[in-house]
Amino acid sequence: MFDHLEIRVLPPGPRFAAQVRFWVNDEDLVEEAVDEGGRGPYAADVLPAGRPSPLRATGAARRLELGEPECAGGCCGSLTVVVQRFGPIVQWSDWEVPWAAQTTMPYLPPELHFDAGQYDAEVARAEANPRWLPHP
């Protein structure tokens, strides 16, 4: 059985630009790993207008930042994962979590395996729906 990815864009707030949250199997990965005050990556970085998203999975392994604590990842570390496509499967593995989460999480998140078709469709859906972009 495959894991299920949903990409959600949160509107900009008083402190941060629009950010992306990753829901896997109905769980917010960012909130679980970096706590409630943490944030996902900026939508402009993960879903850049006119360019392919770095979320797209290829045969080359690539480390992606998925979130950071409220204080910022530079001091406390970030939630990162290695994304790689293996034929019909997209794998998220080799997690790194902020240092504070290392004391509250009993274990690192597990490897996740997505059906490549569902994964590609979800990334394409998020790329094609830039509601978060400022309107001219």
Side-chain angles (χ1 to χ4, degrees):
M1 184 151 112
F2 288 111
D3 295 294
H4 181 359
L5 174 67
E6 182 182 350
I7 300 169
R8 297 183 186 178
V9 177
L10 302 181
R15 292 186 58 207
F16 298 114
Q19 61 178 289
V20 174
R21 295 301 269 262
F22 304 94
W23 288 71
V24 175
N25 306 327
D26 297 320
E27 302 276 337
D28 182 347
L29 288 180
V30 175
E31 188 171 308
E32 285 195 25
V34 297
D35 291 327
E36 196 171 312
R39 66 170 185 83
Y42 292 128
D45 295 335
V46 178
L47 301 169
R51 293 190 328 250
S53 169
L55 293 170
R56 290 188 183 186
T58 68
R62 179 172 64 252
R63 183 164 292 280
L64 292 177
E65 183 176 313
L66 302 182
E68 65 183 16
E70 187 173 16
C71 66
C75 67
C76 296
S78 298
L79 174 66
T80 68
V81 69
V82 172
V83 177
Q84 187 170 8
R85 177 185 301 273
F86 294 98
I89 298 171
V90 173
Q91 176 180 286
W92 284 12
S93 63
D94 300 315
W95 292 91
E96 292 180 359
V97 297
W99 69 266
Q102 294 172 15
T103 60
T104 59
M105 294 179 77
Y107 50 85
L108 289 175
E111 275 190 5
L112 299 172
H113 300 94
F114 304 99
D115 171 81
Q118 186 272 323
Y119 184 93
D120 292 344
E122 181 60 9
V123 171
R125 183 197 64 76
E127 288 175 321
N129 192 12
R131 293 186 310 254
W132 53 271
L133 288 172
H135 297 310

